[in-house]
Amino acid sequence: MARPFKKLKSCPLPPIPTIVTRRGRRCVKLTEGGRPVYHLLTRDGTKYLKRSKKWYGKYRDADGRVCCVPLSPDKAAAEMLLADIIKRVERERAGIIDQFADHRRVPLADHIEAYRRSFAEKGHTGRQAEQATARCRAAFDECGFVFLGDLDAEAVGAWLAARRGLTKADGGIGHQTSNHYTTAVKAFGNWCVRTDRLPVNPFRHLTKLNVDVDVRHERRDLSAEEFDALVEAARSGEPFRGLPGPDRAMLYTVVNFTGLRASELASLTPESFDLTADAPTVTVEAAYSKHRRQDTLPVHPGLAARLRSWLADRPGGERLWPGKWAEHFEAVDLIKKDLAAARAAWVKAGDSAEERDRRDRSDFLAYRDHSGRVADFHSLRHTFITRIVRAGVNPRDAKELARHSTITLTMDRYAHVGLRDMAAAVARLDGPTDPEPQRLRATGTDPTPTAGPPHKRPTIPGAAGKGGERPGCTTDAPQDAPVRENGRGRSKTGDDVRPPDGSPQDRTLRVFDGGEGQERRVHLEGFEPSTFGSVDRCSIQLSYRCVCHTARHPIRGRVGCQLGPGLE
């Protein structure tokens, strides 16, 4: 059976060593802790051998390799640890493998450090790595986790709930920040599973919260008037954060027409713009883009014209907006200062005390409005996306211009739609139609007059006869006479059917016999009640084709009377 042992480490002799012989072996006498101790000399006598304070264990693993591991300064504890290692090796040889046992004994801080290094291997920025690992450390330290086996989703959930219940001054967090912590610990758990440190993610069932019920930092878009006042205030302002006023004005203009982020703008040089092409563009290198890909975006022709003159005296290869204004969210200070200057000038421009007081109470150019929404530097990106959506750009094109992963993020979070926008959208719809004319057309009782000369209905089209027309039925009824319904003697509106002069209406139909040239008059069905004795009766359809109803009609089958389709 393997036994623990202490390693021998060679140490140099003191300047004046005391060499003695003990039990037939040469030793050096030293004083440690006020007591004399003896250490064996090496074979050449130039150094002495000193035993380690910690016991070590040597064993063969499941693959037959000899391993030596540190155990404990206490011999009894070292023997127990070595026995556990040998048992684990035996289980591995028997096929009962616990591949996570080694990782469970490693402190949690070491795993978090390895997790931080994995970000660099994937090409993420140092800020992303530090932010993710800092959230994991904060959650694990507050919950008292030391090893991987201590990770517990319930404890993390309780800690987040306690933080949400505190005020901001006491370190309280909102739902959005709570979701960031949840994302961080779940990502760490997934990484542990991928690297075979844990069998399952202990935070897999930890859910996020609805951020809409607890919005702590809601951004708004700027109107065209607000943006113009902001640019004018920046142009005439003093240098701030190392940026002169005209440079800040151009910075805001570029954001308003490209939607670039602060870190992306800080990386631009004159070479980033291609303003001589047919379609001017600006390119953001992959190292500074949020999704780590090179982005080439179109530049508005009006902005391209202004950039040409602004870039004329700029040295090549140098940042257009240098400094640390884009780090640690300091870009908020830029727009906050210029908004305050623009608002002060706008309020002061009021022509009366009442007007100035009204302006002072309004939200125009306010960094935070009465609804709690803020207009920080990132709000200019919201303004750009809102403008292209309001311009009627296809939602997919808006998503590509915003460089978002999903169209939901573009349309739901960045595109701000107000009441005026919704009213304008509703106004584009066709207005409501009167249902009464539609019902008349559906029932065939539309009083709209048919085409043709007054007081003369068109002849029935048919086979070409004499004069290019086939004899048929005509009516002497005025063309604009209302059509009757269901044989009743009243019109659609219920009025009596009479011509404009009030004379009785001619209610007969003249039927011409093409063979004999004779004319006969028959009653129009609907002008008078039907009677069984009327053998010369026929009805007329909207197409004015004569349809016979009796077999004894004197002209049935002749060329002057055509049966309706499907009714022969």
Side-chain angles (χ1 to χ4, degrees):
M1 180 178 179
R3 293 181 178 276
F5 65 94
K6 287 189 174 182
K7 285 185 175 182
L8 294 176
K9 181 176 63 174
S10 61
C11 302
L13 292 171
I16 305 177
T18 302
I19 307 298
V20 297
T21 301
R22 287 175 59 85
R23 299 177 184 178
R25 303 184 67 177
R26 297 177 66 196
C27 301
V28 59
K29 181 180 179 181
L30 301 176
T31 302
E32 296 179 0
R35 295 177 56 186
V37 293
Y38 299 91
H39 298 289
L40 295 174
L41 292 176
T42 59
R43 291 182 179 182
D44 56 6
T46 59
K47 296 181 180 181
Y48 68 92
L49 300 176
K50 184 178 180 180
R51 295 183 180 274
S52 62
K53 293 183 179 180
K54 185 178 289 187
W55 292 87
Y56 285 76
K58 186 178 292 187
Y59 66 95
R60 289 186 179 273
D61 61 7
D63 298 328
R65 294 172 298 183
V66 178
C67 303
C68 184
V69 294
L71 298 175
S72 173
D74 183 71
K75 184 176 181 180
E79 291 177 348
M80 295 178 62
L81 291 174
L82 184 57
D84 291 340
I85 293 175
I86 293 174
K87 289 181 181 178
R88 180 171 59 84
V89 171
E90 295 296 333
R91 288 197 296 269
E92 290 181 3
R93 290 174 180 173
I96 306 174
I97 302 175
D98 186 7
Q99 58 181 344
F100 310 106
D102 293 337
H103 294 296
R104 291 195 185 98
R105 291 192 295 268
V106 178
L108 190 57
D110 296 345
H111 292 291
I112 295 178
E113 180 62 24
Y115 179 53
R116 186 190 65 81
R117 292 194 299 268
S118 68
F119 278 88
E121 297 171 358
K122 294 180 180 179
H124 294 287
T125 61
R127 177 183 172 185
Q128 291 175 310
E130 293 297 333
Q131 193 175 54
T133 54
R135 287 168 178 163
C136 291
R137 286 194 187 98
F140 299 161
D141 291 345
E142 292 294 330
C143 295
F145 301 154
V146 179
F147 297 99
L148 288 177
D150 300 332
L151 298 180
D152 182 23
E154 185 176 355
V156 174
W159 174 71
L160 291 175
R163 288 284 303 276
R164 293 194 299 269
L166 300 176
T167 61
K168 186 176 181 179
D170 297 333
I173 59 176
H175 286 194
Q176 184 66 52
T177 305
S178 178
N179 288 346
H180 290 329
Y181 277 97
T182 301
T183 301
V185 297
K186 292 183 73 171
F188 176 76
N190 290 333
W191 174 80
C192 290
V193 174
R194 289 196 306 269
T195 56
D196 294 332
R197 284 172 166 81
L198 287 174
V200 293
N201 184 356
F203 308 110
R204 61 190 182 279
H205 298 307
L206 200 62
T207 58
K208 295 182 180 181
L209 303 175
N210 183 9
V211 298
D212 295 335
V213 301
D214 182 48
V215 179
R216 300 292 181 93
H217 194 81
E218 183 180 3
R219 294 183 174 92
R220 68 181 181 93
D221 62 309
L222 297 178
S223 64
E225 294 79 7
E226 287 179 305
F227 179 76
D228 293 341
L230 171 66
V231 171
E232 184 60 32
R235 183 179 293 109
S236 59
E238 297 294 330
F240 185 70
R241 299 291 186 190
L243 297 180
D247 290 357
R248 295 201 307 274
M250 181 57 68
L251 176 66
Y252 299 150
T253 305
V254 171
V255 182
N256 196 42
F257 283 91
T258 61
L260 294 177
R261 302 175 179 90
S263 59
E264 297 168 343
L265 290 163
S267 68
L268 297 181
T269 62
E271 291 75 18
S272 301
F273 292 91
D274 184 7
L275 305 179
T276 60
D278 295 337
T281 60
V282 57
T283 301
V284 179
E285 298 300 330
Y288 304 99
S289 178
K290 186 175 182 180
H291 54 199
R292 319 307 292 172
R293 293 195 301 268
Q294 187 183 68
D295 295 323
T296 300
L297 301 174
V299 176
H300 191 276
L303 176 61
R306 297 184 59 181
L307 282 171
R308 290 189 190 99
S309 59
W310 185 72
L311 294 174
D313 57 347
R314 300 282 168 170
E318 296 186 6
R319 301 287 178 87
L320 296 175
W321 296 282
K324 298 182 178 181
W325 62 271
E327 299 179 5
H328 307 293
F329 305 101
E330 293 184 5
V332 177
D333 299 336
L334 289 179
I335 191 171
K336 204 171 185 179
K337 179 181 181 299
D338 292 327
L339 276 175
R343 179 176 171 82
W346 176 71
V347 173
K348 187 178 179 180
D351 53 3
S352 64
E354 292 78 6
E355 176 63 17
R356 289 190 293 271
D357 183 66
R358 184 193 65 80
R359 292 188 177 190
D360 188 61
R361 294 193 305 269
S362 69
D363 290 333
F364 189 77
L365 290 171
Y367 172 75
R368 188 181 298 272
D369 61 10
H370 291 87
S371 302
R373 301 180 303 166
V374 299
D376 57 7
F377 191 87
H378 202 66
S379 295
L380 297 177
R381 177 172 167 82
H382 286 241
T383 303
F384 165 73
I385 298 174
T386 301
R387 289 175 61 215
I388 60 177
V389 171
R390 286 176 178 171
V393 175
N394 185 280
R396 183 171 181 83
D397 295 336
K399 167 185 169 293
E400 295 300 326
L401 288 173
R403 293 168 295 140
H404 285 153
S405 58
T406 61
I407 196 171
T408 304
L409 180 63
T410 305
M411 305 305 294
D412 291 353
R413 180 174 298 182
Y414 280 82
H416 300 269
V417 179
L419 182 59
R420 292 184 178 180
D421 301 316
M422 293 186 289
V426 173
R428 296 192 189 103
L429 301 177
D430 294 335
T433 57
D434 187 3
E436 194 67 14
Q438 291 184 352
R439 189 182 68 83
L440 294 178
R441 285 192 294 270
T443 57
T445 57
D446 189 355
T448 304
T450 58
H455 309 289
K456 184 71 174 178
R457 297 296 186 185
T459 59
I460 300 176
K466 184 178 180 180
E469 293 183 350
R470 184 174 180 176
C473 300
T474 61
T475 177
D476 293 332
Q479 183 179 356
D480 56 353
V483 180
R484 297 295 181 128
E485 289 185 330
N486 302 327
R488 299 187 181 96
R490 300 190 67 82
S491 67
K492 164 77 175 54
T493 59
D495 299 330
D496 291 336
V497 179
R498 294 182 180 275
D501 57 358
S503 60
Q505 175 66 46
D506 187 358
R507 304 174 181 176
T508 61
L509 178 70
R510 290 183 298 167
V511 181
F512 295 92
D513 188 342
E516 300 176 3
Q518 298 178 354
E519 174 185 343
R520 297 182 61 82
R521 290 182 174 269
V522 295
H523 294 289
L524 289 175
E525 181 177 333
F527 282 92
E528 292 181 359
S530 302
T531 58
F532 293 99
S534 299
V535 296
D536 293 340
R537 180 179 301 281
C538 67
S539 64
I540 185 168
Q541 293 183 336
L542 294 178
S543 60
Y544 296 97
R545 304 183 72 177
C546 184
V547 181
C548 298
H549 291 274
T550 60
R552 293 181 297 171
H553 196 289
I555 59 173
R556 179 177 178 83
R558 297 183 181 180
V559 70
C561 180
Q562 288 186 349
L563 299 179
L567 299 176
E568 286 85 348

